[in-house]
Amino acid sequence: MRVIYPGTFDPVTNGHLDMIKRASLAFDEVIVAVLDNISKSPLFSTEERVSLLKQTCKDFPNVEVEHFSGLLVEFAESKNTYTILRGLRAVSDYENEMKNALANRQLNENIETLFMVSKSEYTFLSSSLVKEIASFHGDVSKMAPLEVIKALEEKYK
Ligand code: ADP
């Protein structure tokens, strides 16, 4: 089965990478789909977010990194892929994820959303937390891969 793992990935963290690694073992193919969401005014451009993911996922042969704008269900359809994978860290993720999953099913009833539970050591981890700590030059070496740490240092120098 092929799944789409969509998100902002601004930037990719060790939490995302753990999900991608586990998904690459659980499914035949994983398409990591970076959302071009201008409304969220990301720190990293779409090209930068895609490039950081490509560098950090290069050892997973069945993982592909792409970007999309507009509706996720349309991107999914264009890829002939009807399974969306999302991560659940805490109960606080649940409400929003439930809303998105129901909305996506309303838009296309063939779309299924699957959830994978975060590893306990990553439940606190988010891109925003990593950015906040990095902006104060704090140590994020346990939270993000080396390529991301370097890119953050460049942004916040
Ligand atoms: P979005 O803006 O779509 O929520 P994110 O990049 O924040 O984009 O997250 C993408 C996906 O990765 C979401 O399903 C989110 O729940 C999941 N995710 C984010 N951080 C972690 C983590 N630490 N552990 C597991 N899953 C995570």
Side-chain angles (χ1 to χ4, degrees), residues 19-52:
M19 286 278 295
I20 294 169
K21 183 176 163 193
R22 284 157 57 215
S24 78
L25 296 172
F27 303 102
D28 301 315
E29 276 177 67
V30 181
I31 302 174
V32 179
V34 177
L35 177 59
D36 264 318
N37 42 1
I38 304 151
S39 64
K40 271 201 171 179
S41 40
L43 174 67
F44 292 96
S45 69
T46 305
E47 292 69 29
E48 290 171 323
R49 286 178 282 143
V50 166
S51 159
L52 288 170

PDB file of all heavy atoms in Angstrom, residues 19-52:
ATOM      1  N   MET A  19       8.510   8.933  12.393  1.00  0.00           N
ATOM      2  CA  MET A  19       7.261   8.541  11.730  1.00  0.00           C
ATOM      3  C   MET A  19       7.547   8.008  10.319  1.00  0.00           C
ATOM      4  O   MET A  19       6.992   6.992   9.900  1.00  0.00           O
ATOM      5  CB  MET A  19       6.340   9.765  11.590  1.00  0.00           C
ATOM      6  CG  MET A  19       5.684  10.205  12.864  1.00  0.00           C
ATOM      7  SD  MET A  19       4.229   9.214  13.205  1.00  0.00           S
ATOM      8  CE  MET A  19       3.195   9.690  11.837  1.00  0.00           C
ATOM      9  N   ILE A  20       8.405   8.739   9.592  1.00  0.00           N
ATOM     10  CA  ILE A  20       8.706   8.360   8.205  1.00  0.00           C
ATOM     11  C   ILE A  20       9.393   6.994   8.173  1.00  0.00           C
ATOM     12  O   ILE A  20       9.058   6.127   7.367  1.00  0.00           O
ATOM     13  CB  ILE A  20       9.570   9.450   7.519  1.00  0.00           C
ATOM     14  CG1 ILE A  20       8.760  10.742   7.375  1.00  0.00           C
ATOM     15  CG2 ILE A  20      10.080   8.972   6.160  1.00  0.00           C
ATOM     16  CD1 ILE A  20       9.560  11.968   6.956  1.00  0.00           C
ATOM     17  N   LYS A  21      10.322   6.808   9.114  1.00  0.00           N
ATOM     18  CA  LYS A  21      11.033   5.521   9.179  1.00  0.00           C
ATOM     19  C   LYS A  21      10.053   4.379   9.458  1.00  0.00           C
ATOM     20  O   LYS A  21      10.071   3.341   8.782  1.00  0.00           O
ATOM     21  CB  LYS A  21      12.071   5.604  10.294  1.00  0.00           C
ATOM     22  CG  LYS A  21      12.930   4.387  10.438  1.00  0.00           C
ATOM     23  CD  LYS A  21      13.962   4.637  11.502  1.00  0.00           C
ATOM     24  CE  LYS A  21      14.572   3.344  11.990  1.00  0.00           C
ATOM     25  NZ  LYS A  21      15.320   3.571  13.219  1.00  0.00           N
ATOM     26  N   ARG A  22       9.185   4.581  10.445  1.00  0.00           N
ATOM     27  CA  ARG A  22       8.220   3.521  10.776  1.00  0.00           C
ATOM     28  C   ARG A  22       7.248   3.291   9.634  1.00  0.00           C
ATOM     29  O   ARG A  22       6.876   2.158   9.326  1.00  0.00           O
ATOM     30  CB  ARG A  22       7.512   3.850  12.091  1.00  0.00           C
ATOM     31  CG  ARG A  22       8.437   3.569  13.288  1.00  0.00           C
ATOM     32  CD  ARG A  22       8.038   4.367  14.517  1.00  0.00           C
ATOM     33  NE  ARG A  22       6.689   4.110  14.909  1.00  0.00           N
ATOM     34  CZ  ARG A  22       5.870   5.043  15.439  1.00  0.00           C
ATOM     35  NH1 ARG A  22       6.306   6.262  15.646  1.00  0.00           N
ATOM     36  NH2 ARG A  22       4.657   4.720  15.764  1.00  0.00           N
ATOM     37  N   ALA A  23       6.826   4.395   8.973  1.00  0.00           N
ATOM     38  CA  ALA A  23       5.898   4.260   7.844  1.00  0.00           C
ATOM     39  C   ALA A  23       6.568   3.514   6.694  1.00  0.00           C
ATOM     40  O   ALA A  23       5.931   2.704   6.016  1.00  0.00           O
ATOM     41  CB  ALA A  23       5.429   5.641   7.378  1.00  0.00           C
ATOM     42  N   SER A  24       7.874   3.761   6.499  1.00  0.00           N
ATOM     43  CA  SER A  24       8.566   3.111   5.380  1.00  0.00           C
ATOM     44  C   SER A  24       8.662   1.601   5.610  1.00  0.00           C
ATOM     45  O   SER A  24       8.791   0.827   4.666  1.00  0.00           O
ATOM     46  CB  SER A  24       9.948   3.725   5.154  1.00  0.00           C
ATOM     47  OG  SER A  24      10.857   3.233   6.108  1.00  0.00           O
ATOM     48  N   LEU A  25       8.606   1.186   6.887  1.00  0.00           N
ATOM     49  CA  LEU A  25       8.619  -0.252   7.186  1.00  0.00           C
ATOM     50  C   LEU A  25       7.214  -0.848   7.099  1.00  0.00           C
ATOM     51  O   LEU A  25       7.037  -1.999   6.714  1.00  0.00           O
ATOM     52  CB  LEU A  25       9.192  -0.497   8.591  1.00  0.00           C
ATOM     53  CG  LEU A  25      10.650  -0.091   8.801  1.00  0.00           C
ATOM     54  CD1 LEU A  25      11.037  -0.188  10.274  1.00  0.00           C
ATOM     55  CD2 LEU A  25      11.561  -0.966   7.947  1.00  0.00           C
ATOM     56  N   ALA A  26       6.223  -0.037   7.442  1.00  0.00           N
ATOM     57  CA  ALA A  26       4.851  -0.545   7.500  1.00  0.00           C
ATOM     58  C   ALA A  26       4.155  -0.562   6.133  1.00  0.00           C
ATOM     59  O   ALA A  26       3.241  -1.347   5.909  1.00  0.00           O
ATOM     60  CB  ALA A  26       4.031   0.289   8.483  1.00  0.00           C
ATOM     61  N   PHE A  27       4.586   0.349   5.225  1.00  0.00           N
ATOM     62  CA  PHE A  27       3.908   0.468   3.930  1.00  0.00           C
ATOM     63  C   PHE A  27       4.905   0.271   2.786  1.00  0.00           C
ATOM     64  O   PHE A  27       6.112   0.439   2.967  1.00  0.00           O
ATOM     65  CB  PHE A  27       3.228   1.845   3.807  1.00  0.00           C
ATOM     66  CG  PHE A  27       2.245   2.105   4.907  1.00  0.00           C
ATOM     67  CD1 PHE A  27       2.578   2.928   5.984  1.00  0.00           C
ATOM     68  CD2 PHE A  27       0.985   1.507   4.890  1.00  0.00           C
ATOM     69  CE1 PHE A  27       1.675   3.150   7.024  1.00  0.00           C
ATOM     70  CE2 PHE A  27       0.078   1.731   5.932  1.00  0.00           C
ATOM     71  CZ  PHE A  27       0.422   2.542   6.993  1.00  0.00           C
ATOM     72  N   ASP A  28       4.353  -0.054   1.593  1.00  0.00           N
ATOM     73  CA  ASP A  28       5.235  -0.280   0.443  1.00  0.00           C
ATOM     74  C   ASP A  28       5.916   1.008  -0.016  1.00  0.00           C
ATOM     75  O   ASP A  28       7.080   1.017  -0.358  1.00  0.00           O
ATOM     76  CB  ASP A  28       4.433  -0.867  -0.735  1.00  0.00           C
ATOM     77  CG  ASP A  28       3.789  -2.177  -0.347  1.00  0.00           C
ATOM     78  OD1 ASP A  28       4.494  -3.001   0.269  1.00  0.00           O
ATOM     79  OD2 ASP A  28       2.588  -2.372  -0.626  1.00  0.00           O
ATOM     80  N   GLU A  29       5.117   2.095  -0.041  1.00  0.00           N
ATOM     81  CA  GLU A  29       5.663   3.376  -0.501  1.00  0.00           C
ATOM     82  C   GLU A  29       5.111   4.499   0.353  1.00  0.00           C
ATOM     83  O   GLU A  29       3.942   4.463   0.744  1.00  0.00           O
ATOM     84  CB  GLU A  29       5.203   3.655  -1.940  1.00  0.00           C
ATOM     85  CG  GLU A  29       6.041   3.015  -3.008  1.00  0.00           C
ATOM     86  CD  GLU A  29       5.431   3.300  -4.379  1.00  0.00           C
ATOM     87  OE1 GLU A  29       5.427   4.469  -4.798  1.00  0.00           O
ATOM     88  OE2 GLU A  29       4.931   2.339  -4.985  1.00  0.00           O
ATOM     89  N   VAL A  30       5.950   5.501   0.605  1.00  0.00           N
ATOM     90  CA  VAL A  30       5.518   6.664   1.393  1.00  0.00           C
ATOM     91  C   VAL A  30       5.820   7.926   0.583  1.00  0.00           C
ATOM     92  O   VAL A  30       6.965   8.139   0.168  1.00  0.00           O
ATOM     93  CB  VAL A  30       6.270   6.744   2.745  1.00  0.00           C
ATOM     94  CG1 VAL A  30       5.791   7.944   3.562  1.00  0.00           C
ATOM     95  CG2 VAL A  30       6.118   5.456   3.548  1.00  0.00           C
ATOM     96  N   ILE A  31       4.794   8.730   0.361  1.00  0.00           N
ATOM     97  CA  ILE A  31       5.013  10.027  -0.285  1.00  0.00           C
ATOM     98  C   ILE A  31       4.916  11.088   0.804  1.00  0.00           C
ATOM     99  O   ILE A  31       3.850  11.296   1.390  1.00  0.00           O
ATOM    100  CB  ILE A  31       3.953  10.312  -1.378  1.00  0.00           C
ATOM    101  CG1 ILE A  31       3.972   9.218  -2.442  1.00  0.00           C
ATOM    102  CG2 ILE A  31       4.182  11.695  -1.996  1.00  0.00           C
ATOM    103  CD1 ILE A  31       2.856   9.334  -3.480  1.00  0.00           C
ATOM    104  N   VAL A  32       6.039  11.720   1.110  1.00  0.00           N
ATOM    105  CA  VAL A  32       6.015  12.807   2.091  1.00  0.00           C
ATOM    106  C   VAL A  32       5.625  14.047   1.300  1.00  0.00           C
ATOM    107  O   VAL A  32       6.307  14.429   0.337  1.00  0.00           O
ATOM    108  CB  VAL A  32       7.397  12.987   2.755  1.00  0.00           C
ATOM    109  CG1 VAL A  32       7.359  14.128   3.749  1.00  0.00           C
ATOM    110  CG2 VAL A  32       7.832  11.699   3.448  1.00  0.00           C
ATOM    111  N   ALA A  33       4.507  14.663   1.668  1.00  0.00           N
ATOM    112  CA  ALA A  33       3.967  15.776   0.876  1.00  0.00           C
ATOM    113  C   ALA A  33       4.030  17.073   1.669  1.00  0.00           C
ATOM    114  O   ALA A  33       3.348  17.242   2.686  1.00  0.00           O
ATOM    115  CB  ALA A  33       2.533  15.455   0.459  1.00  0.00           C
ATOM    116  N   VAL A  34       4.865  17.982   1.186  1.00  0.00           N
ATOM    117  CA  VAL A  34       5.088  19.256   1.874  1.00  0.00           C
ATOM    118  C   VAL A  34       4.070  20.276   1.376  1.00  0.00           C
ATOM    119  O   VAL A  34       3.990  20.543   0.172  1.00  0.00           O
ATOM    120  CB  VAL A  34       6.521  19.759   1.585  1.00  0.00           C
ATOM    121  CG1 VAL A  34       6.757  21.110   2.232  1.00  0.00           C
ATOM    122  CG2 VAL A  34       7.546  18.741   2.060  1.00  0.00           C
ATOM    123  N   LEU A  35       3.315  20.813   2.297  1.00  0.00           N
ATOM    124  CA  LEU A  35       2.277  21.778   1.926  1.00  0.00           C
ATOM    125  C   LEU A  35       2.894  23.163   1.746  1.00  0.00           C
ATOM    126  O   LEU A  35       3.585  23.683   2.617  1.00  0.00           O
ATOM    127  CB  LEU A  35       1.195  21.803   3.016  1.00  0.00           C
ATOM    128  CG  LEU A  35       0.064  22.814   2.843  1.00  0.00           C
ATOM    129  CD1 LEU A  35      -0.690  22.592   1.542  1.00  0.00           C
ATOM    130  CD2 LEU A  35      -0.901  22.737   4.009  1.00  0.00           C
ATOM    131  N   ASP A  36       2.584  23.745   0.580  1.00  0.00           N
ATOM    132  CA  ASP A  36       3.014  25.112   0.237  1.00  0.00           C
ATOM    133  C   ASP A  36       2.160  26.144   0.984  1.00  0.00           C
ATOM    134  O   ASP A  36       1.510  26.957   0.326  1.00  0.00           O
ATOM    135  CB  ASP A  36       2.661  25.334  -1.255  1.00  0.00           C
ATOM    136  CG  ASP A  36       3.788  25.078  -2.192  1.00  0.00           C
ATOM    137  OD1 ASP A  36       4.904  25.472  -1.882  1.00  0.00           O
ATOM    138  OD2 ASP A  36       3.499  24.496  -3.271  1.00  0.00           O
ATOM    139  N   ASN A  37       2.108  26.082   2.306  1.00  0.00           N
ATOM    140  CA  ASN A  37       1.112  26.938   2.969  1.00  0.00           C
ATOM    141  C   ASN A  37       1.619  28.336   3.310  1.00  0.00           C
ATOM    142  O   ASN A  37       2.179  28.561   4.367  1.00  0.00           O
ATOM    143  CB  ASN A  37       0.519  26.270   4.216  1.00  0.00           C
ATOM    144  CG  ASN A  37       1.592  25.579   5.015  1.00  0.00           C
ATOM    145  OD1 ASN A  37       2.743  25.630   4.651  1.00  0.00           O
ATOM    146  ND2 ASN A  37       1.208  24.973   6.114  1.00  0.00           N
ATOM    147  N   ILE A  38       1.350  29.237   2.403  1.00  0.00           N
ATOM    148  CA  ILE A  38       1.797  30.621   2.563  1.00  0.00           C
ATOM    149  C   ILE A  38       1.104  31.262   3.770  1.00  0.00           C
ATOM    150  O   ILE A  38       1.706  32.060   4.484  1.00  0.00           O
ATOM    151  CB  ILE A  38       1.502  31.423   1.276  1.00  0.00           C
ATOM    152  CG1 ILE A  38       2.156  30.720   0.084  1.00  0.00           C
ATOM    153  CG2 ILE A  38       2.010  32.864   1.382  1.00  0.00           C
ATOM    154  CD1 ILE A  38       1.442  30.943  -1.215  1.00  0.00           C
ATOM    155  N   SER A  39      -0.130  30.850   4.041  1.00  0.00           N
ATOM    156  CA  SER A  39      -0.885  31.471   5.145  1.00  0.00           C
ATOM    157  C   SER A  39      -0.209  31.238   6.499  1.00  0.00           C
ATOM    158  O   SER A  39      -0.360  32.027   7.427  1.00  0.00           O
ATOM    159  CB  SER A  39      -2.311  30.949   5.173  1.00  0.00           C
ATOM    160  OG  SER A  39      -2.284  29.578   5.441  1.00  0.00           O
ATOM    161  N   LYS A  40       0.564  30.133   6.602  1.00  0.00           N
ATOM    162  CA  LYS A  40       1.243  29.858   7.880  1.00  0.00           C
ATOM    163  C   LYS A  40       2.577  30.592   7.983  1.00  0.00           C
ATOM    164  O   LYS A  40       3.267  30.478   8.984  1.00  0.00           O
ATOM    165  CB  LYS A  40       1.496  28.347   8.011  1.00  0.00           C
ATOM    166  CG  LYS A  40       0.350  27.587   8.668  1.00  0.00           C
ATOM    167  CD  LYS A  40       0.853  26.259   9.214  1.00  0.00           C
ATOM    168  CE  LYS A  40      -0.185  25.558  10.070  1.00  0.00           C
ATOM    169  NZ  LYS A  40       0.315  24.268  10.565  1.00  0.00           N
ATOM    170  N   SER A  41       2.930  31.362   6.938  1.00  0.00           N
ATOM    171  CA  SER A  41       4.243  32.010   6.784  1.00  0.00           C
ATOM    172  C   SER A  41       5.383  31.218   7.429  1.00  0.00           C
ATOM    173  O   SER A  41       5.910  31.587   8.482  1.00  0.00           O
ATOM    174  CB  SER A  41       4.244  33.473   7.248  1.00  0.00           C
ATOM    175  OG  SER A  41       3.503  33.637   8.396  1.00  0.00           O
ATOM    176  N   PRO A  42       5.736  30.139   6.777  1.00  0.00           N
ATOM    177  CA  PRO A  42       6.801  29.284   7.317  1.00  0.00           C
ATOM    178  C   PRO A  42       8.163  29.975   7.331  1.00  0.00           C
ATOM    179  O   PRO A  42       8.400  30.901   6.549  1.00  0.00           O
ATOM    180  CB  PRO A  42       6.808  28.086   6.381  1.00  0.00           C
ATOM    181  CG  PRO A  42       6.047  28.467   5.183  1.00  0.00           C
ATOM    182  CD  PRO A  42       5.178  29.623   5.521  1.00  0.00           C
ATOM    183  N   LEU A  43       9.035  29.536   8.228  1.00  0.00           N
ATOM    184  CA  LEU A  43      10.396  30.069   8.309  1.00  0.00           C
ATOM    185  C   LEU A  43      11.195  29.629   7.078  1.00  0.00           C
ATOM    186  O   LEU A  43      11.944  30.402   6.505  1.00  0.00           O
ATOM    187  CB  LEU A  43      11.069  29.549   9.593  1.00  0.00           C
ATOM    188  CG  LEU A  43      12.541  29.887   9.796  1.00  0.00           C
ATOM    189  CD1 LEU A  43      12.719  31.389  10.019  1.00  0.00           C
ATOM    190  CD2 LEU A  43      13.110  29.125  10.990  1.00  0.00           C
ATOM    191  N   PHE A  44      11.011  28.363   6.679  1.00  0.00           N
ATOM    192  CA  PHE A  44      11.726  27.823   5.531  1.00  0.00           C
ATOM    193  C   PHE A  44      10.802  27.819   4.314  1.00  0.00           C
ATOM    194  O   PHE A  44       9.618  27.486   4.429  1.00  0.00           O
ATOM    195  CB  PHE A  44      12.201  26.389   5.817  1.00  0.00           C
ATOM    196  CG  PHE A  44      13.275  26.310   6.870  1.00  0.00           C
ATOM    197  CD1 PHE A  44      12.959  26.032   8.188  1.00  0.00           C
ATOM    198  CD2 PHE A  44      14.610  26.531   6.531  1.00  0.00           C
ATOM    199  CE1 PHE A  44      13.948  25.973   9.168  1.00  0.00           C
ATOM    200  CE2 PHE A  44      15.609  26.471   7.501  1.00  0.00           C
ATOM    201  CZ  PHE A  44      15.280  26.195   8.816  1.00  0.00           C
ATOM    202  N   SER A  45      11.373  28.172   3.160  1.00  0.00           N
ATOM    203  CA  SER A  45      10.578  28.155   1.928  1.00  0.00           C
ATOM    204  C   SER A  45      10.212  26.701   1.600  1.00  0.00           C
ATOM    205  O   SER A  45      10.819  25.768   2.143  1.00  0.00           O
ATOM    206  CB  SER A  45      11.388  28.748   0.776  1.00  0.00           C
ATOM    207  OG  SER A  45      12.454  27.863   0.465  1.00  0.00           O
ATOM    208  N   THR A  46       9.282  26.542   0.685  1.00  0.00           N
ATOM    209  CA  THR A  46       8.896  25.187   0.273  1.00  0.00           C
ATOM    210  C   THR A  46      10.128  24.430  -0.237  1.00  0.00           C
ATOM    211  O   THR A  46      10.349  23.279   0.144  1.00  0.00           O
ATOM    212  CB  THR A  46       7.838  25.242  -0.838  1.00  0.00           C
ATOM    213  OG1 THR A  46       6.759  26.036  -0.370  1.00  0.00           O
ATOM    214  CG2 THR A  46       7.331  23.870  -1.199  1.00  0.00           C
ATOM    215  N   GLU A  47      10.937  25.105  -1.053  1.00  0.00           N
ATOM    216  CA  GLU A  47      12.131  24.457  -1.624  1.00  0.00           C
ATOM    217  C   GLU A  47      13.077  24.010  -0.512  1.00  0.00           C
ATOM    218  O   GLU A  47      13.635  22.922  -0.561  1.00  0.00           O
ATOM    219  CB  GLU A  47      12.885  25.407  -2.572  1.00  0.00           C
ATOM    220  CG  GLU A  47      12.147  25.752  -3.858  1.00  0.00           C
ATOM    221  CD  GLU A  47      10.918  26.639  -3.649  1.00  0.00           C
ATOM    222  OE1 GLU A  47      10.910  27.430  -2.672  1.00  0.00           O
ATOM    223  OE2 GLU A  47       9.965  26.519  -4.434  1.00  0.00           O
ATOM    224  N   GLU A  48      13.238  24.863   0.505  1.00  0.00           N
ATOM    225  CA  GLU A  48      14.126  24.504   1.617  1.00  0.00           C
ATOM    226  C   GLU A  48      13.563  23.336   2.413  1.00  0.00           C
ATOM    227  O   GLU A  48      14.304  22.418   2.798  1.00  0.00           O
ATOM    228  CB  GLU A  48      14.318  25.709   2.550  1.00  0.00           C
ATOM    229  CG  GLU A  48      15.151  26.829   1.949  1.00  0.00           C
ATOM    230  CD  GLU A  48      15.147  28.110   2.796  1.00  0.00           C
ATOM    231  OE1 GLU A  48      14.105  28.471   3.391  1.00  0.00           O
ATOM    232  OE2 GLU A  48      16.197  28.765   2.849  1.00  0.00           O
ATOM    233  N   ARG A  49      12.258  23.356   2.661  1.00  0.00           N
ATOM    234  CA  ARG A  49      11.643  22.262   3.439  1.00  0.00           C
ATOM    235  C   ARG A  49      11.744  20.935   2.688  1.00  0.00           C
ATOM    236  O   ARG A  49      12.042  19.891   3.273  1.00  0.00           O
ATOM    237  CB  ARG A  49      10.183  22.616   3.760  1.00  0.00           C
ATOM    238  CG  ARG A  49      10.083  23.678   4.855  1.00  0.00           C
ATOM    239  CD  ARG A  49       8.655  24.071   5.148  1.00  0.00           C
ATOM    240  NE  ARG A  49       8.100  24.972   4.155  1.00  0.00           N
ATOM    241  CZ  ARG A  49       6.851  24.956   3.718  1.00  0.00           C
ATOM    242  NH1 ARG A  49       5.993  24.084   4.189  1.00  0.00           N
ATOM    243  NH2 ARG A  49       6.441  25.828   2.817  1.00  0.00           N
ATOM    244  N   VAL A  50      11.518  20.991   1.368  1.00  0.00           N
ATOM    245  CA  VAL A  50      11.625  19.784   0.540  1.00  0.00           C
ATOM    246  C   VAL A  50      13.071  19.290   0.539  1.00  0.00           C
ATOM    247  O   VAL A  50      13.337  18.098   0.731  1.00  0.00           O
ATOM    248  CB  VAL A  50      11.132  20.061  -0.905  1.00  0.00           C
ATOM    249  CG1 VAL A  50      11.542  18.941  -1.851  1.00  0.00           C
ATOM    250  CG2 VAL A  50       9.623  20.256  -0.925  1.00  0.00           C
ATOM    251  N   SER A  51      14.008  20.236   0.383  1.00  0.00           N
ATOM    252  CA  SER A  51      15.412  19.841   0.299  1.00  0.00           C
ATOM    253  C   SER A  51      15.890  19.213   1.614  1.00  0.00           C
ATOM    254  O   SER A  51      16.585  18.190   1.598  1.00  0.00           O
ATOM    255  CB  SER A  51      16.231  21.079  -0.081  1.00  0.00           C
ATOM    256  OG  SER A  51      17.551  20.916   0.275  1.00  0.00           O
ATOM    257  N   LEU A  52      15.491  19.776   2.744  1.00  0.00           N
ATOM    258  CA  LEU A  52      15.889  19.201   4.040  1.00  0.00           C
ATOM    259  C   LEU A  52      15.305  17.800   4.206  1.00  0.00           C
ATOM    260  O   LEU A  52      15.973  16.883   4.707  1.00  0.00           O
ATOM    261  CB  LEU A  52      15.452  20.111   5.194  1.00  0.00           C
ATOM    262  CG  LEU A  52      16.256  21.413   5.341  1.00  0.00           C
ATOM    263  CD1 LEU A  52      15.602  22.353   6.339  1.00  0.00           C
ATOM    264  CD2 LEU A  52      17.697  21.108   5.774  1.00  0.00           C
TER     265      LEU A  52
END
